[in-house]
Amino acid sequence: MLSKKIQKGLSAQLNHEFYSAYLYLAMSAYCNHSDFNGAANWLKMQYEEEHMHATKIYNYLVEQGVHISLKEIAKPPKNFGTLLNVFQMSLEHEQMMTARLNDLSDLALKEKDHATYNLLQWFVNEQVEEESSVNEIISKIKLVKGDGYGLLMIDNELHQRATPAPIN
Ligand code: FEO
């Protein structure tokens, strides 16, 4: 049985993960519209991954017998500026998600809820990987300093990102 505080925290995180999915979908749409189809693909794959994150929390809450109350998902922005801006916004967003997950992990420990803590550690580790891949993309974009050919090469590379494998 999860404490009320943990239920509230996980429900909020569930909403944040759905918002993440929505944000990446908005970024993907923006990149498609801006003819960065490779970046649009990368961001669409990220949308799918975030959707799986939300589902992972949802499944855990169901398993723990919680009657989930789904909240509204906030509207993401429509325009994101340059390709560099898109990924900088993604990084800022992921850093905020990491901070939230760290706070939630602290709460789980305080509540002596080790099952939830274990679940959250999966997310904390996932954040390391996510921040690192976005950082790598930002470095590459900065390296080409707005050069059209360089941006095209990066966009082609981002096209290679495949559909994420299902997570448990
Ligand atoms: Fe699921 Fe990128 O946070």
mmCIF file of all heavy atoms in Angstrom, residues 13 16-17 20 24 46 49-51 53-54 93-94 97-98 101 122-123 126-127 130, ligand 1:
data_model
loop_
_atom_site.group_PDB
_atom_site.id
_atom_site.type_symbol
_atom_site.label_atom_id
_atom_site.label_comp_id
_atom_site.label_asym_id
_atom_site.label_seq_id
_atom_site.Cartn_x
_atom_site.Cartn_y
_atom_site.Cartn_z
ATOM 1 N N GLN A 13 4.170 12.792 -11.206
ATOM 2 C CA GLN A 13 5.221 12.368 -12.131
ATOM 3 C C GLN A 13 4.618 11.739 -13.392
ATOM 4 O O GLN A 13 5.111 11.948 -14.497
ATOM 5 C CB GLN A 13 6.178 11.382 -11.435
ATOM 6 C CG GLN A 13 7.447 11.076 -12.226
ATOM 7 C CD GLN A 13 8.306 12.309 -12.527
ATOM 8 O OE1 GLN A 13 8.332 13.253 -11.734
ATOM 9 N NE2 GLN A 13 8.981 12.309 -13.658
ATOM 10 N N HIS A 16 3.753 14.539 -15.519
ATOM 11 C CA HIS A 16 4.958 15.156 -16.107
ATOM 12 C C HIS A 16 5.492 14.315 -17.268
ATOM 13 O O HIS A 16 5.988 14.853 -18.253
ATOM 14 C CB HIS A 16 6.074 15.301 -15.063
ATOM 15 C CG HIS A 16 5.724 16.229 -13.938
ATOM 16 N ND1 HIS A 16 5.040 17.399 -14.116
ATOM 17 C CD2 HIS A 16 5.985 16.143 -12.599
ATOM 18 C CE1 HIS A 16 4.875 17.999 -12.949
ATOM 19 N NE2 HIS A 16 5.429 17.260 -12.018
ATOM 20 N N GLU A 17 5.408 12.990 -17.128
ATOM 21 C CA GLU A 17 5.898 12.121 -18.215
ATOM 22 C C GLU A 17 4.998 12.251 -19.443
ATOM 23 O O GLU A 17 5.479 12.275 -20.572
ATOM 24 C CB GLU A 17 5.973 10.651 -17.767
ATOM 25 C CG GLU A 17 6.942 10.369 -16.616
ATOM 26 C CD GLU A 17 8.419 10.511 -16.977
ATOM 27 O OE1 GLU A 17 8.764 10.631 -18.170
ATOM 28 O OE2 GLU A 17 9.244 10.507 -16.031
ATOM 29 N N SER A 20 5.912 15.409 -21.011
ATOM 30 C CA SER A 20 7.174 15.246 -21.759
ATOM 31 C C SER A 20 6.880 14.684 -23.142
ATOM 32 O O SER A 20 7.430 15.154 -24.142
ATOM 33 C CB SER A 20 8.126 14.278 -21.037
ATOM 34 O OG SER A 20 8.459 14.766 -19.775
ATOM 35 N N TYR A 24 7.666 16.629 -26.657
ATOM 36 C CA TYR A 24 8.513 16.103 -27.733
ATOM 37 C C TYR A 24 7.733 15.969 -29.039
ATOM 38 O O TYR A 24 8.287 16.149 -30.120
ATOM 39 C CB TYR A 24 9.159 14.777 -27.322
ATOM 40 C CG TYR A 24 10.345 14.992 -26.408
ATOM 41 C CD1 TYR A 24 10.316 14.604 -25.074
ATOM 42 C CD2 TYR A 24 11.487 15.631 -26.877
ATOM 43 C CE1 TYR A 24 11.394 14.839 -24.229
ATOM 44 C CE2 TYR A 24 12.574 15.871 -26.042
ATOM 45 C CZ TYR A 24 12.525 15.469 -24.725
ATOM 46 O OH TYR A 24 13.595 15.712 -23.905
ATOM 47 N N GLN A 46 11.566 10.050 -29.171
ATOM 48 C CA GLN A 46 11.610 10.468 -27.770
ATOM 49 C C GLN A 46 10.192 10.567 -27.202
ATOM 50 O O GLN A 46 9.936 10.211 -26.057
ATOM 51 C CB GLN A 46 12.359 11.804 -27.634
ATOM 52 C CG GLN A 46 12.690 12.184 -26.202
ATOM 53 C CD GLN A 46 13.536 11.140 -25.488
ATOM 54 O OE1 GLN A 46 14.366 10.470 -26.102
ATOM 55 N NE2 GLN A 46 13.315 10.970 -24.192
ATOM 56 N N GLU A 49 9.239 7.185 -26.291
ATOM 57 C CA GLU A 49 9.914 6.748 -25.066
ATOM 58 C C GLU A 49 9.243 7.352 -23.830
ATOM 59 O O GLU A 49 9.038 6.674 -22.826
ATOM 60 C CB GLU A 49 11.389 7.143 -25.138
ATOM 61 C CG GLU A 49 12.249 6.056 -24.511
ATOM 62 C CD GLU A 49 13.720 6.271 -24.744
ATOM 63 O OE1 GLU A 49 14.158 5.968 -25.864
ATOM 64 O OE2 GLU A 49 14.409 6.715 -23.817
ATOM 65 N N GLU A 50 8.907 8.635 -23.927
ATOM 66 C CA GLU A 50 8.252 9.301 -22.783
ATOM 67 C C GLU A 50 6.878 8.690 -22.504
ATOM 68 O O GLU A 50 6.471 8.571 -21.353
ATOM 69 C CB GLU A 50 8.107 10.807 -23.049
ATOM 70 C CG GLU A 50 9.414 11.557 -23.200
ATOM 71 C CD GLU A 50 10.304 11.503 -21.967
ATOM 72 O OE1 GLU A 50 9.855 11.045 -20.908
ATOM 73 O OE2 GLU A 50 11.465 11.906 -22.079
ATOM 74 N N HIS A 51 6.210 8.293 -23.577
ATOM 75 C CA HIS A 51 4.914 7.642 -23.404
ATOM 76 C C HIS A 51 5.097 6.334 -22.634
ATOM 77 O O HIS A 51 4.289 5.991 -21.756
ATOM 78 C CB HIS A 51 4.285 7.400 -24.780
ATOM 79 C CG HIS A 51 2.860 6.988 -24.700
ATOM 80 N ND1 HIS A 51 2.482 5.664 -24.700
ATOM 81 C CD2 HIS A 51 1.722 7.712 -24.562
ATOM 82 C CE1 HIS A 51 1.161 5.600 -24.580
ATOM 83 N NE2 HIS A 51 0.680 6.823 -24.495
ATOM 84 N N HIS A 53 7.491 5.790 -20.507
ATOM 85 C CA HIS A 53 7.803 6.164 -19.108
ATOM 86 C C HIS A 53 6.505 6.368 -18.326
ATOM 87 O O HIS A 53 6.362 5.908 -17.197
ATOM 88 C CB HIS A 53 8.618 7.463 -19.041
ATOM 89 C CG HIS A 53 10.004 7.331 -19.591
ATOM 90 N ND1 HIS A 53 10.848 8.406 -19.734
ATOM 91 C CD2 HIS A 53 10.697 6.254 -20.029
ATOM 92 C CE1 HIS A 53 11.997 7.994 -20.244
ATOM 93 N NE2 HIS A 53 11.924 6.701 -20.429
ATOM 94 N N ALA A 54 5.577 7.094 -18.964
ATOM 95 C CA ALA A 54 4.288 7.353 -18.303
ATOM 96 C C ALA A 54 3.582 6.029 -18.015
ATOM 97 O O ALA A 54 3.058 5.807 -16.917
ATOM 98 C CB ALA A 54 3.420 8.253 -19.188
ATOM 99 N N HIS A 93 14.415 20.816 -20.009
ATOM 100 C CA HIS A 93 13.267 20.022 -19.567
ATOM 101 C C HIS A 93 13.742 18.754 -18.844
ATOM 102 O O HIS A 93 13.233 18.409 -17.775
ATOM 103 C CB HIS A 93 12.386 19.666 -20.767
ATOM 104 C CG HIS A 93 11.224 18.813 -20.397
ATOM 105 N ND1 HIS A 93 10.137 19.304 -19.716
ATOM 106 C CD2 HIS A 93 11.003 17.486 -20.560
ATOM 107 C CE1 HIS A 93 9.283 18.320 -19.483
ATOM 108 N NE2 HIS A 93 9.786 17.205 -19.990
ATOM 109 N N GLU A 94 14.720 18.088 -19.424
ATOM 110 C CA GLU A 94 15.211 16.847 -18.801
ATOM 111 C C GLU A 94 15.876 17.126 -17.452
ATOM 112 O O GLU A 94 15.767 16.326 -16.523
ATOM 113 C CB GLU A 94 16.169 16.112 -19.746
ATOM 114 C CG GLU A 94 15.513 15.508 -20.978
ATOM 115 C CD GLU A 94 14.307 14.620 -20.680
ATOM 116 O OE1 GLU A 94 14.233 14.032 -19.593
ATOM 117 O OE2 GLU A 94 13.416 14.546 -21.540
ATOM 118 N N MET A 97 13.179 17.363 -15.040
ATOM 119 C CA MET A 97 12.645 16.021 -14.746
ATOM 120 C C MET A 97 13.570 15.290 -13.778
ATOM 121 O O MET A 97 13.115 14.611 -12.852
ATOM 122 C CB MET A 97 12.494 15.204 -16.037
ATOM 123 C CG MET A 97 11.440 15.700 -16.978
ATOM 124 S SD MET A 97 9.769 15.604 -16.287
ATOM 125 C CE MET A 97 9.317 13.921 -16.688
ATOM 126 N N THR A 98 14.870 15.426 -13.971
ATOM 127 C CA THR A 98 15.839 14.780 -13.077
ATOM 128 C C THR A 98 15.660 15.305 -11.655
ATOM 129 O O THR A 98 15.630 14.518 -10.693
ATOM 130 C CB THR A 98 17.280 15.043 -13.577
ATOM 131 O OG1 THR A 98 17.402 14.517 -14.897
ATOM 132 C CG2 THR A 98 18.321 14.404 -12.686
ATOM 133 N N LEU A 101 12.605 13.803 -10.116
ATOM 134 C CA LEU A 101 12.796 12.392 -9.763
ATOM 135 C C LEU A 101 13.688 12.243 -8.534
ATOM 136 O O LEU A 101 13.473 11.344 -7.709
ATOM 137 C CB LEU A 101 13.375 11.628 -10.959
ATOM 138 C CG LEU A 101 12.362 11.383 -12.090
ATOM 139 C CD1 LEU A 101 13.052 11.121 -13.407
ATOM 140 C CD2 LEU A 101 11.421 10.229 -11.739
ATOM 141 N N TRP A 122 15.272 3.411 -11.514
ATOM 142 C CA TRP A 122 15.268 3.109 -12.948
ATOM 143 C C TRP A 122 15.147 4.426 -13.727
ATOM 144 O O TRP A 122 15.863 4.672 -14.693
ATOM 145 C CB TRP A 122 14.106 2.157 -13.290
ATOM 146 C CG TRP A 122 14.098 1.792 -14.737
ATOM 147 C CD1 TRP A 122 14.720 0.719 -15.312
ATOM 148 C CD2 TRP A 122 13.481 2.538 -15.815
ATOM 149 N NE1 TRP A 122 14.528 0.742 -16.673
ATOM 150 C CE2 TRP A 122 13.779 1.845 -17.009
ATOM 151 C CE3 TRP A 122 12.725 3.700 -15.876
ATOM 152 C CZ2 TRP A 122 13.336 2.275 -18.263
ATOM 153 C CZ3 TRP A 122 12.296 4.147 -17.128
ATOM 154 C CH2 TRP A 122 12.593 3.435 -18.299
ATOM 155 N N PHE A 123 14.255 5.282 -13.261
ATOM 156 C CA PHE A 123 14.037 6.567 -13.936
ATOM 157 C C PHE A 123 15.258 7.488 -13.789
ATOM 158 O O PHE A 123 15.636 8.173 -14.737
ATOM 159 C CB PHE A 123 12.781 7.261 -13.382
ATOM 160 C CG PHE A 123 11.505 6.708 -13.960
ATOM 161 C CD1 PHE A 123 10.843 5.660 -13.349
ATOM 162 C CD2 PHE A 123 10.983 7.230 -15.125
ATOM 163 C CE1 PHE A 123 9.671 5.138 -13.890
ATOM 164 C CE2 PHE A 123 9.803 6.718 -15.683
ATOM 165 C CZ PHE A 123 9.156 5.666 -15.061
ATOM 166 N N GLU A 126 17.832 6.395 -16.188
ATOM 167 C CA GLU A 126 17.372 6.740 -17.536
ATOM 168 C C GLU A 126 17.666 8.220 -17.828
ATOM 169 O O GLU A 126 18.044 8.588 -18.938
ATOM 170 C CB GLU A 126 15.859 6.451 -17.613
ATOM 171 C CG GLU A 126 15.203 6.731 -18.933
ATOM 172 C CD GLU A 126 15.452 5.679 -20.003
ATOM 173 O OE1 GLU A 126 16.116 4.654 -19.705
ATOM 174 O OE2 GLU A 126 15.001 5.893 -21.137
ATOM 175 N N GLN A 127 17.513 9.074 -16.806
ATOM 176 C CA GLN A 127 17.751 10.506 -16.984
ATOM 177 C C GLN A 127 19.212 10.784 -17.348
ATOM 178 O O GLN A 127 19.490 11.690 -18.140
ATOM 179 C CB GLN A 127 17.380 11.276 -15.710
ATOM 180 C CG GLN A 127 15.892 11.429 -15.483
ATOM 181 C CD GLN A 127 15.158 12.062 -16.649
ATOM 182 O OE1 GLN A 127 14.317 11.425 -17.262
ATOM 183 N NE2 GLN A 127 15.484 13.297 -17.002
ATOM 184 N N GLU A 130 19.495 10.148 -20.949
ATOM 185 C CA GLU A 130 18.774 11.144 -21.751
ATOM 186 C C GLU A 130 19.522 12.472 -21.804
ATOM 187 O O GLU A 130 19.678 13.060 -22.862
ATOM 188 C CB GLU A 130 17.357 11.355 -21.199
ATOM 189 C CG GLU A 130 16.488 10.148 -21.419
ATOM 190 C CD GLU A 130 15.006 10.442 -21.369
ATOM 191 O OE1 GLU A 130 14.618 11.507 -20.880
ATOM 192 O OE2 GLU A 130 14.240 9.589 -21.831
HETATM 193 FE FE1 FEO B 1 10.804 10.517 -18.964
HETATM 194 FE FE2 FEO B 1 12.722 12.310 -20.367
HETATM 195 O O1 FEO B 1 11.753 12.035 -18.838
#
